[in-house]
Amino acid sequence: MAEYMVIRGGRPLEGTARLPAAKNSVLPLLAAALLCKGESVLTQVPRLSDVEQSVAILTALGCRCQWRGRGLAVDGAEAGGDGALPEGPVRAMRSSVFYLAPALHRCGRVQMPMPGGCKLGPRPIDIHLDGLVKMGARVQWQGESLTVTAPGGLHGVDYSLRLPSVGATETLLMAAVLAPGQTVLRGAAAEPEIADLAAFLTACGARIRGAGTPLVQVEGVEALTGATHTPIPDRIVAATLAAAVASAGGRVKLLGCPFEPLAPTLEILCRAGCTAEHGGNTVTVSREGPLKGVGRVYTGVYPAFSTDAAPVVAAALLTAAGHSAVEDTVFENRFACAEGFSALGGRAVRCGRALEIEGVARLSGADLRAQDLRGGAALAVAALAAEGESRLFGLAHIRRGYGDLAGILRALGADAACRRE
Ligand code: EPZ
């Protein structure tokens, strides 16, 4: 019995939405809790399938995990074992890579298959591994299975990342906080989720400077205690809802939504004809009149326009009169959703890493299938502007990052629900 989301488009969105905690912060934070000898509590954790997979990995490594209302407690006191990570959860998401450094510190070795996750192009982990090797780790591949050991433990290093990988920066930060000596990470990624991870680790006793900038310095400490921490809000959910308003029309107020991380997305949507106001931690996005094309826009590493926001913004531009092109400089296969856009009657053609769009006057409901997390959300955003009924299959992809996206949209007035065939 396949489950799908049914959306009847043509209704503007109205109302208020409070942003959930950021998936891309919660996932590395959960891995970081494994570094701690005591209990950590993340006060706001969305019920996402990737969070459930993280709990499975932490439990397999001897941590005690307990949901406390919307919070999640992880006690690392008893963590240990042989560092063999459970295959299923590791293959289910890219974020299993975050367990490399913490498990190395707690177990002395890690054995895992290649992490899974959205098929956005080749997603090697060479920078994660190269940095760990420079810190004293040894890496062995047996086919697709990886074993990493650190016979003499890890030590500080002055390391330049060959590109500002978000995950590799987080891996090397988690390796450095318990590695004796000083670590310098040059060319680190600067995403807000990295500063959030550093804030948690600092609350646990780590000594970190410069997280959230391209130059990070760490002084290794003996042990980390654990801490209570509220993860930052999800800037990609914010971008998704802003694009949904652009697509459907209407007016939505986003609560708990810092302006800065959303600014590049809002700039593009306002160029297309939306209005955005912000104050304190609230951003209000509205769209009344018709949208117009925005020309060529590019994603980039933070603080540029986020690669994760590219598909949902492209969805909103399908009905923007004239030409738009969205080029992803980060991943090669960001626009698998182009097939669904065409099924809706959109004129969107993939050209290398870019999606070339000619706006159309109307979209018509169709059967759609999510190929990845953000592309799936983009199909829902596009369906909001389509006349008639669309059925969106492949909800497992969307559940990795949004929980109940249909419920979030329905609460804003969309005609959206989940059904079983
Ligand atoms: C994180 O993925 C996010 N995931 C992604 O969000 C996000 O798109 C990405 O950062 C870029 O912002 C999480 O935080 C859980 P990268 P990550 O390492 O760490 C190459 C979502 O939808 N690379 O910054 O995997 C890589 O192939 C997800 O929420 C190497 O070559 O991204 C890519 O081209 C999707 N070697 C580029 O760097 C490495 O060792 C950026 O990847 C690591 C990465």
Side-chain angles (χ1 to χ4, degrees), residues 103-293:
L104 208 44
H105 275 305
R106 296 303 302 272
C107 309
R109 79 187 280 274
V110 193
Q111 188 180 343
M112 60 187 285
M114 223 6 220
C118 291
K119 304 226 174 323
L120 301 173
R123 298 181 76 180
I125 58 172
D126 59 301
I127 305 171
H128 299 247
L129 298 177
D130 184 51
L132 290 174
V133 165
K134 297 284 194 311
M135 296 177 79
R138 284 194 199 144
V139 172
Q140 282 173 306
W141 287 98
Q142 294 86 25
E144 275 280 293
S145 176
L146 172 67
T147 301
V148 184
T149 54
L154 297 179
H155 54 75
V157 70
D158 188 322
Y159 185 76
S160 295
L161 284 82
R162 70 178 177 80
L163 58 79
S165 154
V166 174
T169 301
E170 291 165 333
T171 283
L172 298 177
L173 180 59
M174 289 191 276
V177 292
L178 289 177
Q182 188 182 40
T183 293
V184 180
L185 301 179
R186 300 176 192 278
E191 272 65 6
E193 292 78 21
I194 292 163
D196 197 33
L197 175 60
F200 167 72
L201 290 167
T202 302
C204 296
R207 296 170 60 188
I208 305 167
R209 282 185 300 144
T213 78
L215 180 65
V216 182
Q217 293 170 299
V218 183
E219 196 63 44
V221 295
E222 284 285 309
L224 296 174
T225 56
T228 294
H229 181 78
T230 299
I232 59 173
D234 197 315
R235 60 192 170 98
I236 309 302
V237 170
T240 304
L241 295 180
V245 177
S247 177
R251 180 184 175 83
V252 168
K253 181 184 282 190
L254 301 174
L255 302 180
C257 179
F259 171 71
E260 275 311 313
L262 195 55
T265 297
L266 294 175
E267 193 277 329
I268 296 170
L269 294 178
C270 290
R271 213 188 311 165
C274 293
T275 307
E277 304 140 62
H278 64 94
N281 251 359
T282 299
V283 172
T284 301
V285 186
S286 55
R287 196 267 288 173
E288 268 139 46
L291 291 174
K292 59 183 185 304

Side-chain angles (χ1 to χ4, degrees), residues 54-98:
S54 301
V55 169
I57 295 174
L58 287 165
T59 305
L61 291 169
C63 294
R64 282 202 308 277
C65 301
Q66 184 188 41
W67 284 98
R68 295 178 187 161
R70 295 165 55 88
L72 181 54
V74 178
D75 188 338
E78 309 298 318
D82 65 359
L85 303 189
E87 284 225 15
V90 170
R91 291 186 189 282
M93 59 180 187
R94 169 79 178 185
S95 299
S96 42
V97 73
F98 295 138

